[in-house]
Amino acid sequence: RQHEPVRRDLAVKILIDPAPSANVAARFARERALVARLRHPGIVPLIDAGEAGPPGAAVPWFAMPLVDGESVDRWCDRHGASRAVRLRVIELAARAVAAAHALGIVHRDLKPGNILVAGTPDDPQVHVIDFGVAKLLDPEFETGDALSTRVGGIVGTPEYMSPEQANLDAARVGP
């Protein structure tokens, strides 16, 4: 909860590993930068970012508005969402993902827990979150080996991966 200069509830993502590898630290820094670039009502925006703690042991973080929602599957089940409502929710999520694709960003971990829904079946509010393993299609923004996908490295949740990801064919992963 932020108290000053304004009062509001926030979601704060921190890198809790006390000694993260260069790859983990680089991915976290890149996620912060990516989220700062994304502007769409269906993507939770970055509000602030920084580091907390003493020099040499500072913990990086970033803050976003707190979404008072739940995973898309739980929300649909709890509301007894009709097929039409479920399709509307997926359409809203797809529009958010398309906005990221327009900026050359492929999420790579779309799963129910990364699509939050708030509101009512008459007015669902859909928010795509967690761009921590996103792939950047524009090589200008891939600034080093630590940020690119390693050959043979699985990134994402296996149950929800595209065939290209599951087959470790990173070059074919795209919108």
Side-chain angles (χ1 to χ4, degrees), residues 16 59 63 66 83 101 156 162:
I16 59 172
V59 175
L66 180 65
R83 180 179 297 146
H101 290 170
S162 68

Side-chain angles (χ1 to χ4, degrees), residues 70-91:
E70 56 193 317
S71 67
V72 64
D73 55 343
R74 284 192 210 137
W75 185 89
C76 286
D77 289 347
R78 189 169 61 79
H79 288 280
S82 67
R83 180 179 297 146
V85 169
R86 291 170 189 261
L87 289 171
R88 177 68 179 142
V89 166
I90 295 303
E91 176 189 7

Side-chain angles (χ1 to χ4, degrees), residues 40-78:
H40 187 273
I43 298 174
V44 181
L46 181 102
I47 292 176
D48 199 2
E51 293 186 349
V59 175
W61 59 272
F62 61 95
M64 302 155 289
L66 180 65
V67 174
D68 186 21
E70 56 193 317
S71 67
V72 64
D73 55 343
R74 284 192 210 137
W75 185 89
C76 286
D77 289 347
R78 189 169 61 79

Side-chain angles (χ1 to χ4, degrees), residues 109-142:
D109 200 22
L110 283 175
K111 58 186 177 185
N114 285 340
I115 302 172
L116 300 181
V117 186
T120 66
D122 292 331
D123 185 26
Q125 307 299 312
V126 177
H127 305 277
V128 176
I129 62 168
D130 196 354
F131 284 80
V133 297
K135 176 180 179 173
L136 298 171
L137 300 177
D138 186 346
E140 173 185 338
F141 295 103
E142 285 288 8

